[in-house]
Amino acid sequence: MPDKQQENSKRVFGKPFKKGQSGNPNGRPKKGQAWADVANELLNSNEINITMKMSNGKVKNLNLEADKSFRHAVIIGQISEAMKGNVQAARELADRTEGKPKQEREIINKSEPIQVMVIDDG
């Protein structure tokens, strides 16, 4: 009788791709279109003017200016929240400036060997 791990490895979730077909046919987004690129562009700017048409037909205009970059504004907001006693804001600042503290993990079943299962589809 196969063990549960072997049983689970044979299950297929979702729709499997046909052999030779890419799971991401359009590939990686072009430079400047990825979320990180857009976020960095906006955070590095000091002025944002954008018009958005909402699904209900209303139009919203967003016009923001900062004397430095919005990246500075976000960090200043984080510092302000930490100074008000927001522990999560203080922790985020500490993690970003000093690095996260190392976490230790205990291995419970030290006597049992680690099992590695290799599946050969070929």
Side-chain angles (χ1 to χ4, degrees):
M1 178 173 188
D3 68 0
K4 192 170 186 154
Q5 197 173 28
Q6 285 176 331
E7 248 177 61
N8 288 339
S9 69
K10 294 179 183 176
R11 291 185 188 165
V12 177
F13 296 97
K15 294 182 178 179
F17 298 108
K18 294 176 186 168
K19 195 165 188 141
Q21 178 184 6
S22 170
N24 187 6
N26 296 331
R28 185 178 181 158
K30 304 244 183 297
K31 189 75 174 163
Q33 294 177 353
W35 281 87
D37 296 333
V38 174
N40 280 316
E41 178 185 344
L42 293 173
L43 285 168
N44 289 332
S45 69
N46 64 352
E47 186 176 344
I48 297 174
N49 297 308
I50 189 167
T51 303
M52 300 171 284
K53 186 173 181 182
M54 310 308 283
S55 59
N56 61 6
K58 291 185 180 180
V59 174
K60 281 191 174 184
N61 292 311
L62 177 64
N63 301 306
L64 297 173
E65 282 187 46
D67 60 346
K68 294 209 177 234
S69 71
F70 289 114
R71 192 177 300 275
H72 284 86
V74 168
I75 293 169
I76 289 166
Q78 195 81 358
I79 292 169
S80 175
E81 284 299 308
M83 296 298 291
K84 291 178 192 174
N86 183 329
V87 176
Q88 187 174 355
R91 184 180 304 119
E92 185 67 24
L93 283 167
D95 289 350
R96 296 291 175 166
T97 57
E98 298 174 16
K100 290 187 177 187
K102 291 185 179 181
Q103 295 179 353
E104 292 185 23
R105 297 190 178 161
E106 182 180 338
I107 299 173
I108 298 171
N109 296 328
K110 295 178 184 176
S111 61
E112 292 183 22
I114 297 174
Q115 295 181 359
V116 177
M117 184 187 331
V118 178
I119 301 172
D120 184 16
D121 289 338

